[in-house]
Amino acid sequence: MTEHNKIKGQIVEELQRIEQEENVRILYACESGSRAWGFPSKDSDYDVRFIYVRTMESYLSIYDKRDVIERPISDLLDISGWDLKKALLLLRKSNPPLLEWLQSPIPYMESYSVAEQIRSLSPLSFSPRSCMYHYLHMARGNYRAYLKDEQVKIKKYFYVLRPILACEWIGKYNTMPPIAFQSLVGEFMLAGSELSAAIDHLLARKMAGDELDYGPRIEPINDYVEERLDYYERIAPGVSASMSEQNDDLDALFRAALTEAWRMA
């Protein structure tokens, strides 16, 4: 058994334990974070995210239940999930983390049809402006916190570059960006340029397991980041905010998922 299959088995076992302990059904579970984005370090933990549904009786109770399930973070696993109602309400708001989960290249559980149904609805709920602001806020916050001094936290470049490239994608295509970092780099970085070479070198170091702690700032990347942050801060207010209202579809989807999950249990 490969190390990956061994870890995947542990993750599925933990998800099944959550189902039993919480009396829920996990509709979909996937990897998020650096592993899903395509730039894990050798010691990266596993960021597991899932969508679950409770019993019919729970939703008919006068007492509210928590709409998040979290497990203590270990050296290996970071596991948390959202109730389906929460996920669908966030879908209406074009929530980028949820939209990223749905296109994760590393699924762990998908025993029911609801994830595919949400994927089919997600283009209708996509708001270019809302998602651009999300990624712009992420890039700006990480840049200001970690990358403006002479000595910077090198691995944080990825957590600034990826959201900026996501803004580039939204600005060009008006759709949800692909989850893979290298797909975004390939789309927007001119091969052979000083900037592209700096990013490629950084990515190779990270994936080789080099310690990317503090080091001198990488000027070609900083110059690019500052220029694109300024650009997207100027244009974001004018980006389309359009999205479709899907209240009836989401209500029907929720009811169908609830029935499917417990009928198959």
Side-chain angles (χ1 to χ4, degrees), residues 51-53 59 67 82-90 254:
I51 301 169
Y52 65 90
V53 68
Y59 295 114
D67 57 7
W82 291 344
D83 187 287
L84 179 60
K85 286 183 69 174
K86 177 183 179 73
L88 293 178
L89 288 170
L90 288 171
F254 174 75

Side-chain angles (χ1 to χ4, degrees), residues 14-255:
E14 183 59 31
L15 292 170
Q16 291 170 338
R17 184 176 299 113
I18 290 170
E19 286 189 314
Q20 295 299 315
E21 292 177 353
E22 300 284 344
N23 194 26
V24 300
R25 290 293 173 264
I26 291 178
L27 306 171
Y28 175 68
C30 67
E31 185 68 27
S32 68
S34 63
R35 291 184 181 276
W37 297 332
F39 50 79
S41 303
K42 288 185 176 180
D43 60 350
S44 291
D45 62 3
Y46 289 79
D47 295 306
V48 182
R49 301 293 179 262
F50 62 91
I51 301 169
Y52 65 90
V53 68
R54 295 191 181 275
T55 63
M56 179 74 75
E57 290 76 12
S58 293
Y59 295 114
L60 293 175
S61 172
I62 63 171
Y63 302 105
D64 290 334
K65 304 291 191 299
R66 285 197 72 211
D67 57 7
V68 175
I69 293 175
E70 298 165 311
R71 285 295 180 263
I73 299 174
S74 68
D75 291 339
L76 182 65
L77 296 180
D78 175 358
I79 301 182
S80 65
W82 291 344
D83 187 287
L84 179 60
K85 286 183 69 174
K86 177 183 179 73
L88 293 178
L89 288 170
L90 288 171
L91 177 67
R92 290 186 65 232
K93 298 178 181 179
S94 192
N95 179 264
L98 174 64
L99 298 176
E100 287 191 6
W101 296 1
L102 293 166
Q103 59 171 311
S104 172
I106 311 173
Y108 294 119
M109 294 176 71
E110 189 170 346
S111 302
Y112 307 97
S113 64
V114 65
E116 189 56 40
Q117 293 180 64
I118 297 174
R119 289 187 194 101
S120 70
L121 290 175
S122 60
L124 301 174
S125 300
F126 179 73
S127 167
R129 184 191 299 171
S130 175
C131 286
M132 183 176 285
Y133 271 121
H134 168 86
Y135 288 117
L136 181 59
H137 177 76
M138 182 186 301
R140 186 171 53 222
N142 280 315
Y143 185 68
R144 288 176 176 171
Y146 300 109
L147 298 177
K148 289 182 68 68
D149 296 331
E150 291 303 314
Q151 292 289 308
V152 299
K153 199 162 188 177
I154 297 294
K155 71 178 181 180
K156 292 297 181 179
Y157 275 113
F158 294 102
Y159 298 92
V160 171
L161 283 168
R162 185 178 178 276
I164 286 179
L165 290 169
C167 289
E168 303 268 31
W169 182 279
I170 294 167
K172 183 175 181 180
Y173 294 110
N174 255 20
T175 61
M176 185 66 188
I179 196 168
F181 178 71
Q182 287 171 296
S183 295
L184 293 168
V185 170
E187 178 74 23
F188 295 107
M189 294 292 106
L190 180 64
S193 66
E194 183 181 18
L195 175 60
S196 177
I199 293 172
D200 288 345
H201 179 65
L202 199 61
L203 185 61
R205 286 179 59 196
K206 189 174 192 300
M207 297 185 72
D210 286 2
E211 182 60 42
L212 298 183
D213 199 6
Y214 283 90
R217 44 188 274 162
I218 303 170
E219 293 301 339
I221 300 181
N222 280 69
D223 291 344
Y224 166 75
V225 166
E226 290 180 357
E227 189 274 327
R228 299 319 278 169
L229 284 175
D230 287 345
Y231 174 74
Y232 283 110
E233 284 171 355
R234 290 197 309 272
I235 74 159
V239 171
S240 170
S242 63
M243 66 175 74
S244 300
E245 290 292 335
Q246 295 293 319
N247 295 347
D248 293 341
D249 288 343
L250 296 184
D251 275 344
L253 191 156
F254 174 75
R255 296 185 190 111

